[in-house]
Amino acid sequence: MVETIRKVSAAHAKVALFDFDGTLSLIRTGWMQVMVPMMVDVLAELHTGESEEQLRGVIEDFVWRLTGKETIYQMMALADEVRRRGATPLDPLVYKRRYLDRLHTVIACRLQELRGGQCSPDKYLVPGARALLEALQARGLQLYLASGTDEIYMKEEANLLDVSRYFDGGVYGALDDPGAFSKRLLVQKILARPGVRGNQILAFGDGYVEIEEVKRVDGVAVGMATDEPECQAPDEWKRRRLIGAAADYIAANYLPTDELLQTLFGPGSRYQTFDRSRLQIKPLTERQHDLQLARWLALTDPAPPFSHPDLPVIAERLALARTSGAARILMMGAHVLRAGVNRHLIDLVERGFIGHIAMNGAGAIHDYELARIGATTESVDRYIRSGEFGLWRETGELNDWIREAAEGSLGLGENIGRRIDASTYPHKDLSSPRPIVPAFR
């Protein structure tokens, strides 16, 4: 069951960011029951007069607050508590080693089971995790895995659980230099990708950090209140804190997967979704183009023979509309571009005879491909037969531009036009008129 705290949609998500321990992996279940008593022992040795209960309250507060950050930060916080009580702390790395030694005695048998193939990897996964990862991958999301656990350990554990293969965005863990990796840095790295915005990031985590960092950029966050190791009902202690961290949804596990997907992405289709990971996306350089650059006429080339009694009437009315300031709108299909008259259309716009061009999606595709590579029009007969029609990497960039337009304040045509005009495409002169006249006057 999924609890809705704040109803937001992840329908436009491009990226899913997962925490590891407690969110996917159950290998380290019980780590808090190791860390907190170890820290209580450290502070109790100072003989400050505080009860064990009081010390535990202080420690649980900062351990939970830093859950999801690299483990060293929790040890640094312990050192601060020692210092606050008037004593000299050990190096935080010493505390970390003490904690890891204790934790290893708890999880060694689990690792041995997995390494020896004595159990299914799913035994130590949050229920439904694999089905969710496969469903998100099938939707085309890029998946990232990030943990506060040392990278060397969490990468091995992710491999033992057979989940590394889902994370095409990468698997990241704590490094020796605390400043070299953090979930905040990873979120910024994701946002640096072309066409990715904060509200297109979906996060799953059982701690403060991943929830707060993704909500900071207006993403969607699912708080995993996993009551480890059963993960059947929400852990109320985790639930309250995840809600406090601004999680949009709360779940104890990923079962049933369909309910979770519908909550996040909206009602599904009654038709089975095909596996997009099986599509072979190829570069345009490998495509056979029916129309090459030489097809497009220069303004000085002789016009191909053509006669129609309405042409003089249209020309006269365009000139009159221009003089009177009336709208001049050209509505056309993609075949007009394929006739090789781009430069003539641009010339009509630049001289003010046309104030606006309206065309369909095929026109945008031809215009884009022509500007980018100086060729367009794939062989329908050839590529339909082989199942490759439309599966070209560069042309797929238009999908991101279309989504940008839908989420922003620009229209589709304006967004594509601005993108091409701002590009370094070698043949963009065949697409973008010089902005020397307004669209209407």
Side-chain angles (χ1 to χ4, degrees):
M1 178 179 175
V2 183
E3 179 184 4
T4 299
I5 308 302
R6 190 178 303 98
K7 189 171 179 57
V8 291
S9 174
H12 298 301
K14 293 182 178 180
V15 168
L17 171 62
F18 281 82
D19 175 51
F20 187 54
D21 297 309
T23 300
L24 290 177
S25 172
L26 300 176
I27 292 175
R28 294 179 175 242
T29 291
W31 68 267
M32 273 191 84
Q33 287 70 41
V34 174
M35 183 182 288
V36 172
M38 184 274 290
M39 292 182 169
V40 168
D41 289 345
V42 170
L43 296 186
E45 289 173 359
L46 303 179
H47 303 292
T48 60
E50 296 167 280
S51 69
E52 181 178 322
E53 184 178 351
Q54 288 173 319
L55 293 175
R56 180 176 292 274
V58 170
I59 291 167
E60 285 183 347
D61 181 66
F62 73 73
V63 166
W64 166 254
R65 178 168 39 83
L66 296 171
T67 294
K69 287 181 74 70
E70 299 87 314
T71 305
I72 192 66
Y73 284 100
Q74 291 159 325
M75 302 306 149
M76 291 164 65
L78 173 60
D80 287 342
E81 291 298 328
V82 172
R83 199 174 291 111
R84 207 170 272 123
R85 287 161 174 77
T88 301
L90 300 176
D91 188 302
L93 287 172
V94 175
Y95 293 134
K96 178 180 173 181
R97 175 48 55 194
R98 187 182 298 180
Y99 157 67
L100 290 176
D101 288 344
R102 291 193 184 188
L103 179 64
H104 182 72
T105 63
V106 173
I107 68 172
C109 59
R110 302 169 191 168
L111 293 172
Q112 189 59 39
E113 267 191 289
L114 291 164
R115 288 172 182 148
Q118 298 162 10
C119 69
S120 165
D122 287 7
K123 176 179 178 180
Y124 293 109
L125 278 178
V126 173
R130 192 175 305 282
L132 177 70
L133 292 173
E134 291 175 351
L136 294 177
Q137 193 176 61
R139 291 185 70 92
L141 274 70
Q142 186 168 37
L143 272 55
Y144 291 78
L145 182 61
S147 175
T149 298
D150 287 359
E151 188 168 272
I152 188 172
Y153 300 127
M154 64 90 62
K155 280 190 171 181
E156 183 201 8
E157 291 167 23
N159 288 334
L160 289 172
L161 295 175
D162 188 30
V163 295
S164 299
R165 60 192 172 94
Y166 299 112
F167 295 94
D168 50 344
V171 176
Y172 304 87
L175 303 173
D176 290 340
D177 176 6
F181 167 76
S182 70
K183 290 177 181 175
R184 175 173 294 186
L185 288 175
L186 181 56
V187 169
Q188 294 308 312
K189 176 182 176 180
I190 293 169
L191 289 176
R193 283 182 47 202
V196 177
R197 300 179 181 179
N199 61 2
Q200 295 169 327
I201 301 177
L202 170 63
F204 296 84
D206 74 328
Y208 269 111
V209 179
E210 54 274 3
I211 302 297
E212 288 183 332
E213 291 304 328
V214 168
K215 290 309 298 179
R216 190 189 304 274
V217 297
D218 200 30
V220 178
V222 180
M224 298 305 299
T226 44
D227 184 15
E228 305 172 55
E230 290 79 11
C231 304
Q232 296 302 313
D235 180 302
E236 187 57 32
W237 188 78
K238 278 187 181 181
R239 175 184 171 275
R240 290 195 305 271
R241 285 159 177 77
L242 289 166
I243 292 173
D248 300 302
Y249 301 98
I250 299 292
N253 55 48
Y254 303 105
L255 299 173
T257 305
D258 289 344
E259 178 193 347
L260 179 58
L261 292 172
Q262 182 166 328
T263 299
L264 292 172
F265 301 107
S269 170
R270 61 191 178 95
Y271 301 104
Q272 184 176 358
T273 303
F274 69 89
D275 182 3
R276 288 189 287 176
S277 67
R278 298 174 62 189
L279 295 177
Q280 297 184 31
I281 310 298
K282 297 182 178 180
L284 282 172
T285 53
E286 295 183 15
R287 191 178 82 182
Q288 176 182 313
H289 312 286
D290 287 351
L291 297 177
Q292 302 290 335
L293 190 60
R295 167 81 172 186
W296 274 267
L297 301 172
L299 292 177
T300 55
D301 289 341
F306 184 78
S307 176
H308 194 286
D310 291 340
L311 281 178
V313 177
I314 293 173
E316 181 181 351
R317 290 184 179 178
L318 276 176
L320 180 62
R322 179 190 182 199
T323 302
S324 64
R328 289 89 63 204
I329 302 173
L330 171 63
M331 293 183 286
M332 67 182 193
H335 275 73
V336 177
L337 297 181
R338 293 171 59 177
V341 295
N342 287 48
R343 292 185 176 95
H344 296 77
L345 295 175
I346 290 171
D347 182 62
L348 288 170
V349 171
E350 290 179 344
R351 291 196 288 146
F353 287 103
I354 296 174
H356 186 87
I357 297 177
M359 56 184 173
N360 56 22
I365 290 172
H366 288 315
D367 198 52
Y368 169 86
E369 291 181 348
L370 184 61
R372 182 156 187 167
I373 64 168
T376 189
T377 309
E378 59 186 306
S379 169
V380 178
D381 181 63
R382 172 179 173 174
Y383 292 116
I384 283 289
R385 291 173 188 272
S386 63
E388 298 172 283
F389 186 78
L391 302 181
W392 308 105
R393 183 173 298 119
E394 292 87 347
T395 309
E397 184 178 34
L398 284 173
N399 291 324
D400 294 329
W401 295 1
I402 290 166
R403 186 176 293 177
E404 258 182 9
E407 295 172 353
S409 58
L410 298 181
L412 172 58
E414 185 177 5
N415 194 47
I416 293 177
R418 284 175 182 263
R419 281 287 202 161
I420 292 175
D421 191 52
S423 75
T424 57
Y425 298 158
H427 308 289
K428 67 179 184 179
D429 62 301
L430 290 175
S431 170
S432 303
R434 293 169 296 159
I436 60 174
V437 294
F440 295 100
R441 66 178 186 181

